[in-house]
Amino acid sequence: MTVAEDVCTETIGMPAVGAVAVGTAAQELRLKRGEFAIAVHLGLIRLTVPWDGGRPRVGCDEIERLRSQAGFPEELRERVRTVGTANGAQQLGVSPDRFTRLARAGCLTPITFYLNRYRAIVWLYLADELMGFAAREPRLLIGRSPAWLRDRLEGGADCRAVNWRSRRVERLLSLMEDPWVRVAVLADTLDPVQLAEVVDDPYERAYLARIRPGPAFGPAGPAWARETTAHLMQADEPDEMLWRRVSLITELDNAREVRQAPRPGGDMRAFPYPGTEREPAPDSRADTEPGPASAAVPAPPPAASPIPSPSPGLNPGPSPIPGPVPAPGPAKASTDAAEPTVGLLTRIALRRRTARAANRPPSPPGRAPFGG
């Protein structure tokens, strides 16, 4: 069964007035589903999302803009036309084997893929980009391949998945403005174990899974096809995994500076994260609401001598909630300015864990092979 890949959409947050569903828009623009998804990925078609959520839609003015362009619809369809290995090799005037070698070496970047009936990955390339490559690098199409290309292939390199993944992630990051959505895009590039090491808060991981950008036409294909796409989004090279982890840490720190991820019950107050040694901000309700408010504050760790609770008839006054006695030393405020830098450097040290992760046994059978 053939399954085509969909591309995530641009979230603008406009009301869905004067807009149509993406399926209707594809018919109006005379595009197939795969062509429409590629046009969205390339930024040729702008999508909108209603304020109250729901499926993305296409504004009627956007459809009219595209229909009024010269050469519609042939010009638009030519810009999103894709070719496989056989047609791509014919377009470049080379053999299919040479075309595959160029793609494996990273000279050609796929735009999308589909799964054939054998559940193997078949890469597709933009016809326009192939013509541009032929004009830029004619020496790679004739004669003997250069030494650097032969050495890369002899080392077992296959850059097709890495290039496709990098292209997709960078395009999505350029579309997203919300800091937490940007974190969600990068979170897709790590497996669950590595993601839990970087994003150690389970509430934040649940929030990232909820706001992850979805495909334009919604989930498509059987479950095994969606699992293959999700697996293909994950970095599988040690250098790439390290780069994605560092990028995720940077975006995560930025998102936490803007706002905290929601908590159960809608409590948006700052809570300490393991390893940051950051205490929550004082709660102004602590003195006036000793019941529910005090329950929301984490209990202090057991001390050497228990602190007696105040009598019910006494007013605790402005005294803060009892907590552990700080150790003598310089004021804590003096280290707040350097805290983000130290936290980042400490977490970047996870590269050792990444190196260990590279030595893990291969994934269990059942996932589609990388072929084409």
Side-chain angles (χ1 to χ4, degrees):
M1 179 178 180
T2 301
V3 180
E5 178 212 11
D6 281 332
V7 182
C8 297
T9 65
E10 177 181 7
T11 303
I12 302 180
M14 296 176 58
V17 178
V20 298
V22 291
T24 303
Q27 295 178 0
E28 292 289 337
L29 298 174
R30 305 180 189 178
L31 296 175
K32 300 178 181 179
R33 290 170 63 98
E35 294 173 340
F36 185 90
I38 293 175
V40 172
H41 178 76
L42 297 177
L44 303 178
I45 301 176
R46 295 190 297 267
L47 302 186
T48 62
V49 176
W51 286 108
D52 55 352
R55 292 290 181 86
R57 301 173 70 85
V58 183
C60 295
D61 55 344
E62 179 70 6
I63 296 178
E64 292 301 324
R65 181 186 69 85
L66 294 170
R67 291 174 62 93
S68 62
Q69 292 179 352
F72 176 85
E74 290 78 11
E75 182 69 20
L76 179 60
R77 299 191 65 176
E78 182 63 25
R79 297 178 67 180
V80 297
R81 184 170 66 90
T82 58
V83 294
T85 299
N87 292 335
Q90 184 178 3
Q91 181 174 336
L92 294 181
V94 298
S95 65
D97 180 69
R98 192 182 188 106
F99 185 94
T100 302
R101 289 169 59 87
L102 291 173
R104 287 178 174 269
C107 301
L108 305 175
T109 301
I111 185 63
T112 186
F113 69 94
Y114 69 89
L115 304 179
N116 61 16
R117 59 181 179 177
Y118 304 107
R119 302 189 181 184
I121 298 173
V122 180
W123 297 105
L124 299 176
Y125 306 83
L126 277 177
D128 274 354
E129 291 186 353
L130 294 184
M131 297 303 298
F133 172 78
R136 293 191 312 269
E137 302 291 345
R139 292 176 297 179
L140 295 179
L141 304 180
I142 57 176
R144 189 180 182 185
S145 300
W148 63 266
L149 193 148
R150 296 196 306 269
D151 293 342
R152 184 175 298 181
L153 294 176
E154 290 173 0
D158 189 350
C159 302
R160 292 176 293 183
V162 177
N163 288 348
W164 170 83
R165 186 163 47 244
S166 299
R167 179 178 193 165
R168 178 184 174 97
V169 170
E170 294 304 321
R171 177 58 185 168
L172 291 177
L173 291 179
S174 67
L175 292 175
M176 305 304 171
E177 296 181 358
D178 185 271
W180 281 102
V181 178
R182 294 174 61 88
V183 175
V185 171
L186 291 172
D188 277 349
T189 62
L190 298 179
D191 60 57
V193 176
Q194 295 192 72
L195 180 60
E197 293 177 351
V198 178
V199 187
D200 45 18
D201 192 324
Y203 295 116
E204 290 182 340
R205 294 198 300 272
Y207 182 53
L208 295 177
R210 187 166 68 250
I211 65 175
R212 180 183 299 119
F217 292 95
W224 59 264
R226 296 194 295 269
E227 292 175 359
T228 300
T229 303
H231 173 67
L232 197 60
M233 274 294 297
Q234 297 175 3
D236 55 4
E237 296 292 337
D239 292 341
E240 185 189 6
M241 287 188 290
L242 176 60
W243 170 249
R244 295 303 177 192
R245 290 170 70 111
V246 173
S247 301
L248 178 59
I249 290 172
T250 304
E251 292 289 346
L252 181 62
D253 290 341
N254 179 59
R256 286 171 175 172
E257 290 285 339
V258 175
R259 70 176 188 273
Q260 296 295 321
R263 300 278 173 165
D267 191 357
M268 297 293 293
R269 288 178 294 145
F271 283 83
Y273 296 95
T276 60
E277 301 180 359
R278 183 177 302 166
E279 298 180 357
D283 190 357
S284 59
R285 301 175 296 174
D287 297 336
T288 58
E289 299 178 15
S294 61
V297 179
S305 59
I307 302 177
S309 58
S311 302
L314 296 180
N315 183 11
S319 300
I321 298 176
V325 179
K332 185 178 180 60
S334 61
T335 61
D336 287 347
E339 183 177 352
T341 303
V342 175
L344 178 60
L345 295 178
T346 302
R347 295 159 71 182
I348 289 179
L350 293 173
R351 66 175 66 202
R352 295 181 179 178
R353 301 184 186 177
T354 304
R356 292 197 300 267
N359 298 325
R360 293 175 181 169
S363 303
R367 291 172 173 167
F370 287 71

